[in-house]
Amino acid sequence: MAGTSAPSASVDASANGSHAAAEAPVGAPTNPMATALLTDQYQFSMAYAYWKAGKHADQAVFDLYFRKNPFGGEFTVFAGLEECVKFIANFRFTEDDISFLQSVMPMCEGAFFDYLKKIDCSDVEVYAIPEGSVVFPKVPLIRVQGPVAVVQLLETPFVNLINYASLVTTNAARHRHVAGKSKVLLEFGLRRAQGPDGAISASKYCFMGGFDATSNVLAGNLFGIPLRGTHSHAFVSSYGQISLLFLSTESLDDIPDKSLKSKDGSRCFHLVPSSYFKFLVGFQAADSLCGVFGETNQSELAAFASYALAFPSNFLALVDTYDVMRSGIPNFCAVALALHDLGYKASGIRLDSGDLAYLSIEARKVFCAIEKDFNVPGFGKMIITASNDLNEETIDALNKQGHEVDAFGIGTYLVTCYSQAALGCVFKLVEINSKPRIKLSEDVAKVSIPCKKRCFRLYGKEGYPLVDIMIRESEPTPKVCYFCSHMSNLKCLKFIMLNLSRQENEYSVVIHLLNPKGHMLFPSMLRSFYSAIGLGNQVRIFYKPRAELPSLEKIRSRCMQQLEKLRPDHIRRLNPTPYKQVSVSAKLYDFIHYLWLNEAPVGELQ
Ligand SMILES: Nc1ncnc2c1ncn2[C@@H]1O[C@H](COP(=O)(O)OP(=O)(O)OP(=O)(O)O)[C@@H](O)[C@H]1O
Ligand SMILES: O=P(O)(O)OC[C@H]1O[C@H](OP(=O)(O)OP(=O)(O)O)[C@H](O)[C@@H]1O
Ligand SMILES: O=C(O)c1cccnc1
Ligand SMILES: [Mg+2]
């Protein structure tokens, strides 16, 4: 999908009378429910009214943006663009869709449905900030241009596809920030997410926002995200058969096949109970452990031993089913040492309850003592994973207390975006038939910024972004320019605008935000040609975005790099410094106010 290559097309006999379908190379949206009917009913009412007024083909420009950063923070990560591109590439109404629409809109003329049958997004252009970028309020994340009736239908699905994606990516980025670079972050949210789409989206976007892996197998398959998992309580307690009548506990003796080959394959051992008990007894005698261990739970030991036989090379145990320090840790260490004798290296433990700071520190002390006393190099570095209702606050609290956790498994708070339900993206008309439009509001923050715009980000000489600015598309790129906060010119800022090619200059560099090369242009001309020769209905046109859709890995790296470039005080959790409010050129500032005065009704003081 080279930037400027012409769109490709091929004749597809199977198209079967339906109008040209858009398919590969862009691919379908991840969720098959993301179809042209996935919009609010009023979008169809508007489309009908545009059509009835003969305005449906008017050229509209809409901006998608948000007004306030989520989670009380001062930054947002933009996500969901790829799904929007896939959405428009596949946008069309099936015969069934049309019949349904006719049934729910019986008041509309039949010819409107003939019009709907023919539409797709071939005349729609999308300009966007690259996915994974750090973004700020008011700057258009996406600009959508095209026939007003079609673009109107895109409002709801676009906002839907961007809102949660950006919110959860930002949430993940915030968790990464508080956990620090060196910790492993695992997304465990599938069971708690808002339905299958919430879960799949969460896995994709948490990875984008800096998580290392997910427990969600389907997400691993769909997006190539690394999969990780630990060990469950059910497996441990499945070994605990205590009968009140017989006072029996399932034990090591009950494991049917206890044979395990040594790692190098040279020997085969029968792991009898004494293989473990000798270590448990050793722990009791070890000076460094100060007699902290007494009797452990035997059914838990049986569960660990049995699990080790299944996964000798990746032995990992959940140690909090009965008692972390009195049972889970010594049982784990006994099995890990038995494996060590056979040449295997255990992976670590998971803590899922209790005081995670205290328990992780105590567990680490035991691992280090065993490394020393039993002469097992590396045992002290056993990986400690923690889970259980973790969130930014608890991780921050753990950091302040000091802890020995290496990996955090996070579910509920992460994927449900517990501390903020929605981002609040909006999609506003800013121009129609080249005439700038404005939406006024009593709330000044809600007044839309009219015109087709170009957006830039200015970086200071220290490499931090300074401010995002917007100019009218028709304005030449200024070299030296005054910019005003878009609603008040009280704070005029003077910027020296430089070309990217002159980055070495000491003032600032300028980055285009709305990627002018990255926009999508769909092949309307090609469609017209095929229609003209009577093949319009049998041709399958493959839409090609002008810019290549980057891989998830690439988007993730962009996100990480941009977050690193933010000034630390913008990203800190407590009272972050606001990024400078989006600014506009003096020309655009004057124009906004001219339009405002023009459109606002003149009131009378009585
Ligand atoms: N040292 C700590 N500092 C702050 N918060 C912690 C610390 N250790 C654990 N937490 C958090 O405290 C909360 C404890 O929750 P809760 O009382 O439900 O768990 P629990 O009683 O330890 O476990 P469970 O009920 O699952 O057996 C969790 O949100 C956990 O992440
Ligand atoms: O706590 P979260 O951040 O949502 O992470 C996922 C949780 O899911 C699992 O147990 P589950 O919660 O199903 O059982 P539990 O309530 O007994 O821990 C796991 O042990 C975690 O505790
Ligand atoms: O692998 C795990 O430990 C896991 C996965 C999902 C939820 N809770 C735990
Ligand atoms: Mg839990």
Side-chain angles (χ1 to χ4, degrees):
M1 286 186 282
T4 49
S5 65
S8 60
S10 68
V11 174
D12 178 4
S14 71
N16 210 10
S18 66
H19 71 283
E23 271 198 358
V26 176
T30 300
N31 187 337
M33 280 191 284
T35 64
L37 283 195
L38 187 76
T39 194
D40 291 309
Q41 194 234 356
Y42 83 146
Q43 312 292 17
F44 283 107
S45 310
M46 298 308 115
Y48 180 64
Y50 286 130
W51 179 83
K52 192 78 179 111
K55 274 166 66 76
H56 53 283
D58 285 7
Q59 286 303 300
V61 180
F62 283 78
D63 281 351
L64 187 151
Y65 58 95
F66 61 94
R67 299 191 180 106
K68 195 170 182 320
N69 289 304
F71 310 116
E74 289 297 340
F75 73 95
T76 299
V77 181
F78 170 49
L81 177 63
E82 180 187 351
E83 296 295 333
C84 289
V85 171
K86 289 179 169 175
F87 183 84
I88 52 170
N90 290 271
F91 182 95
R92 68 188 180 95
F93 294 101
T94 64
E95 296 290 338
D96 280 355
D97 295 341
I98 298 290
S99 309
F100 175 74
L101 288 170
Q102 264 172 319
S103 74
V104 293
M105 300 176 79
M107 67 301 281
C108 299
E109 290 171 27
F112 172 62
F113 298 102
D114 294 335
Y115 160 71
L116 284 187
K117 262 184 218 171
K118 286 191 221 113
I119 62 172
D120 57 23
C121 287
S122 16
D123 296 325
V124 173
E125 287 184 25
V126 174
Y127 293 74
I129 291 177
E131 188 161 5
S133 300
V134 171
V135 288
F136 302 100
K138 296 273 187 184
V139 172
L141 308 176
I142 305 182
R143 184 213 297 163
V144 189
Q145 300 173 199
V148 66
V150 179
V151 181
Q152 181 84 66
L153 291 170
L154 298 177
E155 169 176 352
T156 311
F158 264 48
V159 173
N160 175 279
L161 290 167
I162 298 298
N163 251 325
Y164 176 68
S166 301
L167 185 73
V168 75
T169 309
T170 308
N171 202 19
R174 295 178 63 87
H175 281 77
R176 165 55 71 197
H177 179 70
V178 70
K181 269 196 219 161
S182 64
K183 300 296 168 197
V184 172
L185 290 184
L186 310 173
E187 178 267 311
F188 280 176
L190 174 54
R191 66 190 63 191
R192 299 281 158 64
Q194 275 94 344
D197 182 80
I200 288 292
S201 305
S203 301
K204 172 175 178 182
Y205 296 114
C206 287
F207 181 67
M208 192 182 282
F211 272 57
D212 297 291
T214 178
S215 63
N216 181 342
V217 178
L218 180 57
N221 187 17
L222 288 173
F223 309 119
I225 303 172
L227 286 175
R228 287 281 288 277
T230 70
H231 194 226
S232 81
H233 287 121
F235 185 81
V236 179
S237 38
S238 74
Y239 279 79
Q241 287 184 349
I242 298 177
S243 142
L244 286 180
L245 276 183
F246 305 109
L247 282 176
S248 74
T249 297
E250 199 168 348
S251 73
L252 291 167
D253 295 325
D254 301 321
I255 300 173
D257 182 4
K258 290 190 268 288
S259 57
L260 181 63
K261 269 200 178 144
S262 61
K263 183 138 195 216
D264 62 9
S266 63
R267 300 163 291 157
C268 189
F269 276 87
H270 211 57
L271 286 166
V272 290
S274 60
S275 323
Y276 305 106
F277 294 151
K278 70 175 184 206
F279 293 119
L280 289 170
V281 171
F283 300 155
Q284 283 168 4
D287 284 345
S288 56
L289 297 176
C290 309
V292 288
F293 298 145
E295 290 232 327
T296 65
N297 182 306
Q298 293 306 289
S299 62
E300 181 182 61
L301 178 62
F304 289 179
S306 155
Y307 193 67
L309 287 167
F311 293 102
S313 297
N314 317 79
F315 174 57
L316 191 156
L318 177 60
V319 293
D320 72 330
T321 308
Y322 302 115
D323 187 314
V324 174
M325 291 314 296
R326 289 207 179 89
S327 188
I329 295 288
N331 277 339
F332 166 79
C333 292
V335 176
L337 288 176
L339 284 176
H340 178 260
D341 280 354
L342 295 176
Y344 297 100
K345 195 171 168 301
S347 303
I349 59 162
R350 175 161 74 103
L351 297 167
D352 190 43
S353 57
D355 184 326
L356 299 170
Y358 169 77
L359 290 172
S360 63
I361 289 171
E362 290 305 304
R364 179 74 68 213
K365 279 186 201 157
V366 172
F367 297 150
C368 290
I370 289 178
E371 168 163 351
K372 211 157 140 245
D373 279 17
F374 291 74
N375 194 21
V376 187
F379 204 90
K381 297 212 166 59
M382 206 60 78
I383 293 169
I384 302 178
T385 302
S387 56
N388 184 26
D389 287 340
L390 291 171
N391 56 29
E392 274 188 75
E393 281 72 32
T394 48
I395 296 171
D396 193 35
L398 293 175
N399 289 344
K400 287 181 177 135
Q401 293 158 43
H403 66 85
E404 283 291 336
V405 175
D406 303 295
F408 292 105
I410 316 179
T412 313
Y413 283 93
L414 174 70
V415 305
T416 64
C417 295
Y418 196 88
S419 46
Q420 176 157 343
L423 176 58
C425 279
V426 293
F427 193 78
K428 297 290 170 199
L429 182 73
V430 293
E431 208 171 284
I432 187 119
N433 290 338
S434 305
K435 287 196 227 71
R437 303 308 307 135
I438 192 168
K439 157 82 181 66
L440 298 182
S441 168
E442 295 281 314
D443 178 355
V444 171
K446 285 194 162 185
V447 173
S448 66
I449 303 178
C451 307
K452 200 186 270 186
K453 299 174 280 287
R454 282 193 290 152
C455 306
F456 303 89
R457 177 162 298 167
L458 264 66
Y459 287 80
K461 58 185 171 202
E462 279 157 14
Y464 295 126
L466 294 176
V467 66
D468 289 3
I469 53 179
M470 298 192 271
I471 64 173
R472 286 189 73 166
E473 200 188 51
S474 50
E475 284 182 54
T477 306
K479 294 270 183 286
V480 176
C481 189
Y482 286 93
F483 289 95
C484 322
S485 157
H486 72 287
M487 285 307 154
S488 79
N489 63 357
L490 295 177
K491 283 191 195 166
C492 271
L493 302 162
K494 184 184 175 193
F495 294 112
I496 315 282
M497 303 279 284
L498 298 170
N499 287 329
L500 280 175
S501 55
R502 293 182 54 204
Q503 281 189 17
E504 75 283 0
N505 189 292
E506 63 173 313
Y507 286 100
S508 60
V509 292
V510 181
I511 305 280
H512 286 263
L513 284 179
L514 281 182
N515 191 344
K517 283 196 199 112
H519 70 262
M520 316 298 158
L521 181 61
F522 290 99
S524 56
M525 280 172 60
L526 203 67
R527 174 175 315 294
S528 312
F529 168 73
Y530 280 111
S531 295
I533 59 169
L535 272 177
N537 281 352
Q538 285 103 55
V539 170
R540 213 173 179 87
I541 295 184
F542 296 118
Y543 293 127
K544 279 189 169 187
R546 275 205 195 155
E548 189 131 3
L549 288 176
S551 67
L552 181 55
E553 277 285 354
K554 211 165 167 190
I555 299 173
R556 183 177 188 271
S557 318
R558 174 182 295 131
C559 173
M560 304 293 94
Q561 277 164 15
Q562 294 212 356
L563 286 167
E564 256 174 43
K565 272 197 199 153
L566 273 195
R567 228 173 56 201
D569 57 313
H570 292 315
I571 204 171
R572 71 173 172 232
R573 269 173 42 72
L574 190 65
N575 302 326
T577 312
Y579 186 69
K580 265 190 192 56
Q581 215 190 113
V582 62
S583 296
V584 295
S585 62
K587 259 193 184 151
L588 182 52
Y589 176 87
D590 288 342
F591 189 73
I592 295 171
H593 287 258
Y594 161 77
L595 212 59
W596 192 336
L597 288 178
N598 235 14
E599 299 288 353
V602 180
E604 236 177 72
L605 287 179
Q606 289 185 354

